[in-house]
Amino acid sequence: QVQLVESGGGLVQPGGSLRLSCVASGIIFQHYNFAWYRQALGKEREFVASIATVGTTRYADSVKGRVTISRDNGKKTVYLQMNSLKPEDTAVYYCRVGYGSAWSENSWGQGTQVTVSS
């Protein structure tokens, strides 16, 4: 059974940085794609960034240049480094795992809260 555990969220001032982590278990980590999504209060969940098995990355326009997604296959962990944070980045951030281009065997973590406020 796939399990994703996110951590690293918290309260940060505008312009600050955070690094989120997502530890996966129950899968052959290097065979899967990973992504980060976020959901702000009262809004729909939205895509933030993804990283494929071969390391290809993709970013939402709203975070491009400020966010970096990476993976450590040895540690079975995916990271989201967020810099120059803005109040509009405030949301619950979720890790997602999927297999292949269709993202089959799809699973989500429980989320970690990021609050950007002075």
Side-chain angles (χ1 to χ4, degrees), residues 10-18 84-91 113-118:
L11 173 64
V12 63
Q13 292 188 343
S17 298
L18 279 177
S84 303
L85 283 162
K86 306 175 182 180
E88 51 263 44
D89 294 317
T90 295
Q113 176 72 47
V114 171
T115 303
V116 185
S117 175
S118 55

Side-chain angles (χ1 to χ4, degrees), residues 19-59:
R19 188 177 80 157
L20 307 183
S21 299
C22 171
V23 179
S25 60
I27 57 171
I28 302 175
F29 184 90
Q30 57 267 35
H31 290 181
Y32 286 78
N33 306 314
F34 288 86
W36 287 94
Y37 285 70
R38 66 186 182 186
Q39 187 167 18
L41 198 61
K43 295 188 177 181
E44 292 188 354
R45 192 171 297 189
E46 64 176 5
F47 170 81
V48 176
S50 67
I51 186 164
T53 56
V54 295
T56 305
T57 58
R58 193 165 64 91
Y59 297 94

Side-chain angles (χ1 to χ4, degrees), residues 3-10 18-24 29 34-36 68-72 75-82 93-96 109-114:
Q3 186 175 16
L4 302 174
V5 180
E6 300 103 327
S7 63
L18 279 177
R19 188 177 80 157
L20 307 183
S21 299
C22 171
V23 179
F29 184 90
F34 288 86
W36 287 94
T68 302
I69 188 171
S70 61
R71 60 190 296 159
D72 185 330
K75 294 183 177 179
K76 298 183 179 182
T77 302
V78 178
Y79 302 99
L80 189 71
Q81 176 68 45
M82 302 189 294
Y93 283 70
Y94 296 92
C95 182
R96 178 191 181 196
Q110 84 289 349
T112 184
Q113 176 72 47
V114 171

